Amino acid sequence: MHFTNLAIQLLGYATLVSLASASRATVGDVHKRAVNATTSPIAPKVFIISMFPPEAAVWYHIPEFDLLAKNVTVPGFSPLFPDAHCTANGEICQLITGESEINAAVTISSLVFSRLFDLTTTYFLIGGIAGVNPEVATLGSVTFARFAVQVALQYEFDAREIPSNFTSGYVPQGSTNPAEYPQSIYGTEVFEVNDALRKLAVGFAQSAALNDSADAVIYRANYKSSALYNAGSLAPSVVECDVATSDVYYSGTLLSEAFSNTTKLFTNGTGLYCTTAQEDNATLEALLRGAINNLTDFSRIIIMRTASDFDRPFPGEAAITNLFYANQGGFEPALQNIYLAGIKVVEGILVGWEDIYEQGVKPTNYIGDIFGTLGGTPDYGPGSMFNDNPVVLRRGVKGARRKRNVPIPR
């Protein structure tokens, strides 16, 4: 989760509890309508995944539907956000995971394995804000990812202590230099989702009139000074590009370039590093484990991130200024564009449910994790390791440190 600057970040955290309370107290008695158990599971057509309250709030009190009509308390959800919210007919639902990978993994796992929902035909719309790479997109842009890459799942050295021939302090696990593919694979490094579905979602979103701000217009103009950052100087648009997941809230040109290289490396050159977030690989792993148990359909996932702030400064600006002090002006437009673009996606799925979406959109690409857990052969990494069999991790020893190790074909 990335914000425009530290002041806005602190404001977001300061309002977290009050917004969470408001979401449970809307219309005065929302908890009186909360559902702790249902006689039959709710089977949503679309489930919106928000990461923190401002992302969720843009879906409340909208003219298209009432997400607070039915509120379901789900065991295992965050104590701050214990309820899933649904329309009266249960066709559309929404939750807040809480920020960071651990919160996302626990919340989505709790949802998937809850008996309160039937998610076998549900489309999941991950809709949140993110940092953005000015080489690819700009403040307020709406991005749709094919790949989610866990870029910080690596060895790390302080940059002041790296060898002169290293391009970064990050080295893939099991490897000995930044450019070597990871030799020790955990399974969550890369996920690939349904590209045919992504393109349909992009088509829906492109019909939206996106929000912008005067401050964002002023700030992004600073990136015109570099031809490399031309995309960052343009008005918001809908872009197909990929998301990096890291619990570490990083910022600056060197780290951003390093993780752009990681994205290319981990996806065998296919991925395009664009947005930065803290939850997506964790969410996808939970949904994949649901798919293994026939509880979710991994081909029905859309990753939509809107750009709230640049991941690096413009030429001549200090990295610390970009992160802590600059008024980038992207936070509010990014939030509004979650709704403005997202509602087009939701409505597109509902309108086309009987003709297209009920039976599903057949993937034209590999979908799943780096292991090939759901079957098929990944177009990145070492290739399929387990097909449809359970993942078995082999123990290896390197020096005095034990590590989980998956053999890499030579």
Side-chain angles (χ1 to χ4, degrees):
M1 197 63 51
H2 282 243
F3 294 86
T4 308
N5 55 36
L6 183 60
I8 290 178
Q9 181 183 8
L10 294 175
L11 175 62
Y13 278 107
T15 59
L16 185 150
V17 175
S18 62
L19 283 169
S21 298
S23 72
R24 297 196 295 270
T26 305
V27 195
D29 62 347
V30 70
H31 265 302
K32 292 180 182 178
R33 296 182 289 156
V35 179
N36 288 296
T38 56
T39 55
S40 59
I42 300 170
K45 293 178 179 177
V46 180
F47 214 120
I48 299 164
I49 298 175
S50 306
M51 277 52 71
F52 78 136
E55 293 171 347
V58 299
W59 294 104
Y60 304 151
H61 310 298
I62 61 175
E64 293 84 0
F65 48 78
D66 179 11
L67 272 176
L68 299 175
K70 181 183 295 185
N71 302 281
V72 184
T73 301
V74 181
F77 273 23
S78 166
L80 287 173
F81 319 113
D83 297 339
H85 306 292
C86 300
T87 56
N89 62 9
E91 287 192 347
I92 308 167
C93 293
Q94 179 262 344
L95 60 76
I96 302 175
T97 63
E99 294 156 287
S100 82
E101 292 178 82
I102 292 175
N103 278 322
V106 174
T107 293
I108 300 302
S109 294
S110 298
L111 171 71
V112 167
F113 291 96
S114 167
R115 296 184 179 182
L116 300 172
F117 292 92
D118 176 356
L119 305 171
T120 53
T121 60
T122 298
Y123 288 84
F124 294 92
L125 174 62
I126 300 172
I129 64 172
V132 67
N133 174 7
E135 296 180 11
V136 180
T138 193
L139 301 172
S141 287
V142 180
T143 70
F144 290 87
R146 171 179 169 182
F147 295 100
V149 181
Q150 198 174 12
V151 294
L153 187 55
Q154 304 189 65
Y155 300 139
E156 181 187 6
F157 297 95
D158 189 301
R160 294 166 294 187
E161 297 179 319
I162 63 175
S164 59
N165 63 332
F166 273 27
T167 56
S168 165
Y170 281 88
V171 178
Q173 297 198 118
S175 303
T176 56
N177 72 75
E180 184 181 6
Y181 205 90
Q183 302 298 296
S184 178
I185 295 177
Y186 289 3
T188 58
E189 288 85 351
V190 185
F191 292 93
E192 186 172 357
V193 299
N194 187 342
D195 193 47
L197 177 62
R198 174 175 75 145
K199 293 186 184 303
L200 290 171
V202 166
F204 293 138
Q206 285 175 333
S207 67
L210 300 181
N211 195 281
D212 202 358
S213 75
D215 288 334
V217 171
I218 293 170
Y219 191 77
R220 71 167 66 96
N222 293 301
Y223 288 79
K224 289 182 180 178
S225 61
S226 171
L228 184 64
Y229 297 153
N230 180 64
S233 69
L234 303 177
S237 62
V238 178
V239 183
E240 296 181 35
C241 55
D242 300 308
V243 62
T245 298
S246 169
D247 271 338
V248 176
Y249 192 134
Y250 63 89
S251 183
T253 302
L254 296 179
L255 282 176
S256 297
E257 289 178 347
F259 290 142
S260 177
N261 291 335
T262 297
T263 299
K264 291 179 183 177
L265 178 67
F266 283 19
T267 62
N268 287 358
T270 307
L272 177 60
Y273 167 83
C274 177
T275 54
T276 66
Q278 292 178 304
E279 299 85 13
D280 293 350
N281 283 58
T283 294
L284 293 171
E285 176 66 18
L287 292 174
L288 181 133
R289 295 192 188 189
I292 294 171
N293 289 275
N294 298 312
L295 297 173
T296 60
D297 182 344
F298 202 81
S299 71
R300 300 185 182 220
I301 299 171
I302 299 167
I303 307 170
M304 183 185 78
R305 289 282 181 170
T306 60
S308 63
D309 60 293
F310 286 117
D311 68 351
R312 68 197 75 182
F314 57 80
E317 182 187 37
I320 193 171
T321 302
N322 178 68
L323 177 62
F324 291 151
Y325 307 117
N327 180 19
Q328 297 194 29
F331 182 68
E332 287 299 333
L335 288 175
Q336 290 304 313
N337 289 341
I338 292 173
Y339 161 69
L340 292 171
I343 192 65
K344 300 295 186 181
V345 175
V346 173
E347 290 179 333
I349 292 172
L350 295 181
V351 170
W353 184 257
E354 292 184 357
D355 293 334
I356 300 173
Y357 296 98
E358 184 176 15
Q359 60 266 36
V361 177
K362 185 177 180 179
T364 55
N365 60 303
Y366 168 81
I367 61 169
D369 64 0
I370 196 169
F371 283 152
T373 301
L374 300 178
T377 302
D379 42 11
Y380 50 87
S384 179
M385 305 300 295
F386 303 99
N387 293 317
D388 291 322
N389 298 316
V391 172
V392 178
L393 296 175
R394 192 174 71 184
R395 290 285 179 176
V397 178
K398 184 175 182 180
R401 184 176 298 175
R402 301 180 71 199
K403 65 179 183 179
R404 290 181 290 275
N405 190 46
V406 173
I408 305 297
R410 299 299 183 185

